[in-house]
Amino acid sequence: MTLDSAVRIIALAPDLLGTYGDAGNVTVLAQRLRWRGFPTEVVEGIGRDVPDSGDIYVLGGGEDGPQALAAREMIESGALPRAVERGAVIFGVCAGYQLLGCSFLDTDDNVHAGLGLLDCTTVRGTGPRNVGEVVANIGTLLPGHVLSGFENHGGVTTVGGGATPLATIVAGNGNGDGSHTEGAWSGRVVGTYLHGPVLARNPDLADLLLEWVVGPSAPLADADATAEALRAERIQAAGGSRRRA
Amino acid sequence: MAATLASDRSSPRPPRRLRFAVPAARLARSLSRRLAHRDGAVIGGRVCLAVDPDAVAHLLVQHPTTVFVSATNGKTTTTALLTAAIERLMPVATNTTGANLPSGIVTALMDAEPGTTAVLEVDERYLPGVVAVATNPVALLLNLSRDQLDRMAEVRSIALRWRDAFAHDTTRVIANADDPLVAYAAPPERTVWVAAASRWRMDALSCPACTARVQYDGDDWYCTQCDLRRPKPDVTFTDTDVVLASGRRLALPTTLPGTHSRANAAFALAALELLGLPVDGASDAMATVTDVDGRYQHLWATDDASRLYLGKNPAGWAEILDVLAPVDRPLVIAVNGNDADGHDLSWLWDVPFERLAGRPVVATGERMRDLAVRLRYADVEHTAEPNLTRALAWARTARADVVGTYTAFQQIKRELRRDA
Ligand SMILES: [Zn+2]
């Protein structure tokens, strides 16, 4: 294969959205591609300078101020709506999930416009931050898969009719709007509140995103045995030690 | 640490509550030691605070010279280095075991002679409350970065609280010019700036004042929007020497490894100079600090290079990886996820473990599976060993370095003591 055919992963605003180890999601996607022999390139999309050539765009979690700045810059860049048009994959975590939606609120209750790529809106929760292990059953996107991750957010997200909740909560809060759902997806745009990083904890979800780019590929049984042991441990822990901060 | 009653007879008379609180605290500590075989380090302070909720203020007022050391990383080491440097001149009241919450501070002070110089490490969140009640305090602000992800939601909010505290007091500050969060927090007109060469930048890529991007340009940094920028350093250091604010050049102690250890020593020497204490001979005194409550201790033999490290967050790990880099020694990494470690171990993905590829690694600790997955994606061959005792037995045979998160580090120290 030539370099032109390399799968291109864009780490979006890693300088603003990278508080909770979410850079690991890019590491996981890139490694799974490399282990399967696909030439892979990771490019950072900083500021308004977001490449149009990405196959997968990944957004991480971040604090309020940087999140608002990232949203403004991404809206101005316009690269993400064009990417969705092309059929590229967009994956957002926590603050990155919120800014894929229509709007979100910061700690001072200022409303910020999101990218509008997912039909959901986020407001501030009135209770304590949602902090702890989450277990949720993924719906139509990956039927039968149990999602495992760690949430840490004060936002409450309501998914509208134009998107579908990613999963149904078993333990934890997720979207936190009373619907007992977690995350949202629409087409090839997927958002979740879960860190971990979530793709390290959920290789099936990582492979689904990759399948949208390179087609179905063989499982990575050896690597995923390690991940499976971690998943089992964390899913069990979520049952007993859920705590609020 | 023999209890002394001398402070009870001293003047000025302490406030009434404190006069009851301190004896009650000593009794509790002695019971804890005798009955539970604990070292009683914090029990005394807790009892003291229960009887006199203002014990921190009441005790601090008895000490005309107080130095507080606060940071995400390096508090305990810098406190130990500064204590060694001052103790060669006069007695020091200090919390040597890293007990840096109010209970630990009270414990450190309740046995101290009034008038003694106090050198205290303080948890980042408690620093504003403690400097507010101290007389003529000096604060050393080393660095701020992500740590205990589930508890400390926003490291930036700590910087803001520090800034608010220092804006309204008269604290003299020694601060890291290379950390934008710290530079934002420190009061420029009362600060001695140390070029402390922070390696980790991920928590200060967005300006703490206005959230715009921070531009790094070699050693320099500046906000691309507002006027926050790197202050001109007053204190600089190399691998061997430090140049203090006065222009004095001194040799740095080299007992403890790594650039961050030089930075900690530079902070301590800057503090001595600010306090008006003699700096000659201070480096030699600091060089006698061979380990700090277990950090950096030689594990298997004194002539062996392998050491024990505390690795609890990405900024700390960035320094540790630098120290480990030159030699491919075997390595044991112990990861726990208790309250003091943080329950969210996502930060393991912010550590460039890829640098360990090629050396034998054993993953252990209660959360070894999180580490195992991370190491696998880093292409680091490793063995997962759930049993810490067995992992350390392997480390002994292999003469390995050992790194642990906060509670894993404490467990390792206990295991090593038991074997000794
Ligand atoms: Zn700024």
Side-chain angles (χ1 to χ4, degrees), chain A residues 15-16 18-21 24 31-32 35 46-47 63 65-66 69 73 131 150 152 196-197 200 222-223 226 229-230 233-234 243, chain B residues 146 149-150 153-156 202 205-206 211-213 339 343-344 346 349-350 354 366-367 369-370 372-374 376-379:
Chain A
D15 51 344
L16 299 177
T19 310
Y20 298 103
Q31 272 293 40
R32 296 181 80 79
W35 284 338
I46 305 231
E63 302 176 9
L69 175 60
E73 289 179 343
V131 182
F150 195 100
N152 185 348
D222 192 32
T226 316
L230 170 62
E233 173 200 297
R234 293 292 92 208
R243 67 190 268 279
Chain B
R146 66 191 64 181
L149 293 183
D150 54 316
E154 303 209 348
V155 63
R156 301 156 66 91
M202 282 297 289
L205 296 176
S206 160
T211 76
R213 281 190 170 69
D339 283 354
H343 297 258
D344 181 3
S346 305
W349 293 77
D350 292 323
E354 286 79 2
E366 293 152 16
R367 295 290 294 274
R369 292 185 181 91
D370 285 84
V373 172
R374 170 69 189 104
R376 186 160 263 287
Y377 278 99
D379 285 328

Side-chain angles (χ1 to χ4, degrees), chain A residues 148-245:
Chain A
S148 164
F150 195 100
E151 66 181 333
N152 185 348
H153 61 100
V156 166
T157 300
T158 302
V159 182
T164 311
L166 176 64
T168 308
I169 288 287
V170 177
N173 288 278
N175 290 329
D177 66 334
S179 67
H180 302 288
T181 63
E182 151 48 32
W185 68 280
S186 168
R188 291 179 174 183
V189 183
V190 180
T192 175
Y193 268 116
L194 304 193
H195 307 287
V198 66
L199 297 183
R201 290 258 197 114
N202 302 275
D204 291 354
L205 182 58
D207 280 353
L208 176 71
L209 304 181
L210 295 176
E211 187 182 318
W212 287 339
V213 180
V214 298
S217 32
L220 297 165
D222 192 32
D224 291 346
T226 316
E228 195 45 56
L230 170 62
R231 285 171 54 76
E233 173 200 297
R234 293 292 92 208
I235 288 168
Q236 192 183 14
S241 69
R242 179 74 199 173
R243 67 190 268 279
R244 283 173 164 274

Side-chain angles (χ1 to χ4, degrees), chain B residues 215-228:
Chain B
Q215 186 71 44
Y216 289 85
D217 188 0
D219 291 335
D220 196 18
W221 60 264
Y222 54 91
C223 174
T224 50
Q225 187 168 294
C226 74
D227 49 16
L228 187 69

